[in-house]
Amino acid sequence: MEHLPPEVILDILSWLPVTTLVQSKLVCRAWRSIIQDSLLINKHLSHMAESDPSIIFQSHWPIQNQYYFMDFAAYNEGNKILKKISVTTNHANLVGSCNGLLCFYNSSGIHICNPLTKDSIELPKLSRNPGEAGSLEFGFSPTTKEYKLVEIVYKRKRPRVIPYLAASNTFQAEVRVLTLGDACWRSLGTVPCRFLRQPSQVMVSGRLHWITQPGYNSVDTKFISFDLTTEQFQEVAKPDCGSLKKFFYELLVLQGHLSAATSNVGGGLEIWVMKEYNKKESWIKEYNIEGYLPIELRRINERSPFPTSIFQAICSFKNGEILLEHKSKALVLYDPIHDSYKDLMLEGAPNWFKMVAHVGSLSSI
């Protein structure tokens, strides 16, 4: 390798799996120096972001808070075994994944780690006052090259007639931000709405995204973004569904595009994809997935007179297939070209889990 130009070496290494590169750091000091070079780290991350994502599992049962890694490229080659990974904290909630880094939080603090390189850092814990509740998001500004945590904090209120709805014009949520490297959180003031809790964070174009909760007298919702560079909120255009009033209950990211899911009549999913960010006319209905009950759960549901399929979309792949999760218990691959379903049976998979799409990287903290 010493006879190759440095740029050729970087290009070759940038296409290798992150696990191979991590192991190669042990060969010698020269290799360690090359693999820790920021040019290689950024080039490798760029390639991984264009590839099919991996998946991180957090088990809820039978053993809580164990973590597993799955590479779908290896799965397609016949490897159906989940790889158990260790993280630096126990009994923590998984916030999300960003550039190969995972964010967790518990009562003792917030933890950021790269599960493949083992790099980790502990951050100032959340400083909520009595009677406060909220949600935490983790993202990256491609402009300032900063990682940030964003907390949306609400005052707890006594349940009313319809406790799961919120009058969006009566709520004031405080917004707090922590930039990695800073010693303390900053308050940005309040925002006059409340957001639906997302299964996982949604970051597109350096912005985090939420759906507002509907009000008491309306089912209308808004898509709201938070720019991690300017730290400003902005409304994002929703799909034009004609005369139909569709309730979009989940935002997600598919192949780098902001996407929105709504239920269809058969108990399945409609998924709309915004092909050009914040261009209303670029929304298209890309998936219309009918109801399907995974084989693994049919025996459990056969006692029910009306067994239902409740899907959450996790991610999509370059071949057009989309990964669906059913009630945190089963996984299904949907092929829109052939309108077919494939139940995924994974060795060592937990019976009940949370999962997030993940891009393996060499990113350090």
Side-chain angles (χ1 to χ4, degrees):
M1 278 193 33
E2 62 269 17
H3 302 299
L4 294 175
E7 61 272 16
V8 174
I9 295 174
L10 287 179
D11 189 60
I12 293 172
L13 294 178
S14 68
W15 292 98
L16 294 178
V18 63
T19 50
T20 301
L21 292 173
V22 170
Q23 293 170 354
S24 299
K25 288 165 61 177
L26 304 176
V27 173
C28 62
R29 290 182 179 178
W31 280 44
R32 171 182 285 268
S33 177
I34 293 172
I35 293 169
Q36 291 179 334
D37 189 297
S38 61
L39 291 176
L40 175 60
I41 292 173
N42 293 333
K43 194 176 185 68
H44 182 269
L45 178 60
S46 177
H47 288 159
M48 292 301 100
E50 295 172 358
S51 304
D52 285 338
S54 302
I55 300 295
I56 296 289
F57 288 81
Q58 178 184 27
S59 69
H60 293 323
W61 190 82
I63 302 176
Q64 283 191 335
N65 297 311
Q66 296 210 343
Y67 299 91
Y68 303 87
F69 172 80
M70 178 182 178
D71 183 351
F72 266 90
Y75 177 88
N76 291 331
E77 293 172 1
N79 184 358
K80 301 181 180 182
I81 301 176
L82 294 181
K83 179 183 178 182
K84 189 174 180 180
I85 57 176
S86 60
V87 297
T88 56
T89 183
N90 295 318
H91 307 294
N93 297 302
L94 175 58
V95 175
S97 169
C98 179
N99 291 349
L101 303 178
L102 296 179
C103 178
F104 306 86
Y105 80 92
N106 57 18
S107 58
S108 65
I110 300 171
H111 310 266
I112 309 291
C113 76
N114 185 324
L116 301 180
T117 66
K118 310 301 182 186
D119 288 343
S120 65
I121 188 174
E122 186 168 342
L123 304 174
K125 66 180 180 180
L126 302 174
S127 56
R128 291 176 186 165
N129 299 317
E132 289 183 342
S135 63
L136 186 66
E137 311 286 341
F138 174 53
F140 177 75
S141 166
T143 302
T144 63
K145 309 299 182 186
E146 293 175 317
Y147 289 94
K148 294 184 180 183
L149 289 149
V150 179
E151 186 188 21
I152 310 295
V153 184
Y154 310 102
K155 296 287 186 182
R156 295 182 189 270
K157 292 191 175 183
R158 295 181 63 185
R160 302 181 68 176
V161 179
I162 311 177
Y164 56 86
L165 294 180
S168 59
N169 59 352
T170 64
F171 276 95
Q172 292 291 325
E174 185 181 359
V175 182
R176 299 168 185 168
V177 175
L178 176 68
T179 302
L180 263 65
D182 289 355
C184 58
W185 289 79
R186 296 177 285 115
S187 176
L188 300 184
T190 60
V191 58
C193 55
R194 188 163 186 158
F195 302 125
L196 295 175
R197 186 175 293 276
Q198 293 285 136
S200 60
Q201 65 186 29
V202 180
M203 193 179 77
V204 179
S205 298
R207 299 169 175 87
L208 294 167
H209 297 79
W210 299 267
I211 302 177
T212 61
Q213 285 194 1
Y216 284 107
N217 300 317
S218 171
V219 296
D220 193 31
T221 59
K222 296 179 180 179
F223 296 174
I224 302 294
S225 72
F226 179 78
D227 191 312
L228 289 164
T229 300
T230 64
E231 298 186 350
Q232 297 291 318
F233 286 92
Q234 181 181 358
E235 186 173 351
V236 179
K238 291 169 58 177
D240 186 355
C241 303
S243 60
L244 298 176
K245 287 284 187 180
K246 291 186 178 292
F247 176 68
F248 291 95
Y249 65 87
E250 178 191 355
L251 293 177
L252 61 152
V253 182
L254 298 179
Q255 295 294 311
H257 299 293
L258 181 65
S259 306
T262 183
S263 298
N264 62 24
V265 177
L269 289 177
E270 280 184 15
I271 300 179
W272 294 68
V273 178
M274 182 183 269
K275 293 296 186 177
E276 189 174 350
Y277 187 76
N278 212 16
K279 297 283 187 179
K280 184 179 180 68
E281 61 273 15
S282 74
W283 281 106
I284 63 169
K285 185 167 72 172
E286 189 149 307
Y287 297 95
N288 191 15
I289 306 170
E290 298 302 323
Y292 174 81
L293 194 63
I295 296 173
E296 188 175 344
L297 300 181
R298 289 178 190 176
R299 185 180 303 175
I300 300 174
N301 286 268
E302 64 184 4
R303 299 174 185 175
S304 171
F306 304 105
T308 58
S309 62
I310 301 177
F311 283 131
Q312 176 198 338
I314 303 299
C315 61
S316 61
F317 302 103
K318 296 172 74 174
N319 64 1
E321 293 181 334
I322 185 167
L323 179 64
L324 305 172
E325 170 256 299
H326 185 282
K327 294 185 177 180
S328 300
K329 295 179 180 179
L331 294 175
V332 173
L333 270 178
Y334 172 68
D335 181 348
I337 298 175
H338 302 97
D339 193 25
S340 62
Y341 301 85
K342 178 182 179 182
D343 292 72
L344 298 187
M345 310 301 291
L346 304 173
E347 295 181 29
N351 296 338
W352 185 28
F353 51 80
K354 175 180 179 176
M355 60 190 302
V356 296
H358 180 76
V359 176
S361 80
L362 297 167
S363 296
S364 57
I365 306 162

